[in-house]
Amino acid sequence: MNSLDAIEQDTFISAATPLLNLITHITGLKTSFITTIDWQAQQQTVVIAQNTGDLHIASGSQLAWTDSMCQLMLSEQLTATTEIQLRFPDSGGAQLGMQSFVVLPIKIADQMIGTLCGASDDKVELNNHQIESLGYIADALALQLKLTIDARNAEAKMDSLRDQIENLATLANTDPLTELLNRRAFQQRYEFAIKLSKRTKQPLSVMMIDIDDFKQFNDEFGHETGDAIIKMVGDGLKYIARSTDIPCRVGGDEFILVALNTDSNGLMLLAKRLNDYVKLHSKQLQRPCSLSIGIACSSHGAPEELIRFADEALYMSKASGRDAISVYQADDA
């Protein structure tokens, strides 16, 4: 068993402290303590210790299992002894001045996960009734440790479930190729942006983007190159987008960006940056590509109509020969 983390250890200590006091009351041993054992690391850790005399065991102390008094006692099939100095003269317990020692395993499902121990620097003889009582305390501690471990495992499962739910939510709202918002998630954000624009009376602008001659790229160089172009444009949108902007892959080779508190001039600057980004990064492909972009601002009409306006401006860019940025003109509606 690995050591308990800080929160779990505090919980366990709160439950275990009265039981250690009970050990002192039942046996007269001056020191009582509880350990956990990490079998993989072969290390024993004192989770909590109670010291009422000169003999001192420190809570949190660690030692190799092979050097442990518990290991020495259990290997000799001893539960209690008053002859530490005679039986184990070279042990750490003897060096601390121990005369008496008692150890009972703490088990969960027949696996020893720790020990319940008592020690004293004088000879304290324990009768069978006292040792049996200590066994009941060890069982109670095993139950408490199991509850603590079960609570930790339950929390870990809840964390895992929350992560899965978050991942599913991300998958449901994200385009897998570009990691931009998909159309459904975009629509929710866009509706909120419209309400916010109306409430704050701030401009709202929309940019529609289409990759020029995308079908020709796909037919000539294959879908792998086509996917690379789409991802590159998506990366470009993420590069130029500000924290309040809403970039999205609408589908196929079409993209959209909504900008709060931005007029058509501000969005024009972002569009030029995006176009420059794509031209620069597409040089590494078999043939550079370009974008046709349409822009519309809420000053042109109702915010709910901006996507349609921007789409009309995009058509203007394509009609002018592609690789162009056009701003919707209300007179043309």
Side-chain angles (χ1 to χ4, degrees), residues 193-204 261 298:
I194 290 174
K195 293 177 182 177
L196 185 62
S197 174
K198 288 180 176 179
R199 186 169 67 247
T200 61
K201 301 188 183 305
Q202 293 177 342
L204 183 69
N261 196 23
S298 53

Side-chain angles (χ1 to χ4, degrees), residues 1 4-5 7-9 11-13 15 141-154:
M1 174 185 170
L4 301 173
D5 65 28
I7 296 175
E8 293 165 342
Q9 185 165 306
T11 301
F12 179 72
I13 287 173
L141 290 169
L143 177 60
Q144 182 60 44
L145 272 174
K146 184 178 186 304
L147 291 173
T148 302
I149 293 168
D150 287 348
R152 173 176 61 185
N153 292 339

Side-chain angles (χ1 to χ4, degrees), residues 163-175:
D163 290 343
Q164 291 178 41
I165 292 172
E166 289 177 4
N167 289 337
L168 288 172
T170 299
L171 289 174
N173 294 319
T174 305
D175 171 60

Side-chain angles (χ1 to χ4, degrees), residues 17 23 78 128 159 165 168 173 188 292 322:
T17 298
I23 292 171
L78 288 173
N128 290 337
D159 288 342
I165 292 172
L168 288 172
N173 294 319
Q188 295 173 342
S292 292
R322 297 181 172 83

Side-chain angles (χ1 to χ4, degrees), residues 104-147:
L104 290 98
I106 297 175
K107 294 182 178 181
I108 295 179
D110 293 328
Q111 179 184 1
M112 187 167 73
I113 60 171
T115 60
L116 171 63
C117 306
S120 192
D121 55 5
D122 55 0
K123 292 190 176 184
V124 180
E125 296 280 357
L126 300 181
N127 58 41
N128 290 337
H129 176 75
Q130 290 171 313
I131 292 174
E132 185 178 8
S133 297
L134 294 182
Y136 293 139
I137 294 174
D139 291 342
L141 290 169
L143 177 60
Q144 182 60 44
L145 272 174
K146 184 178 186 304
L147 291 173

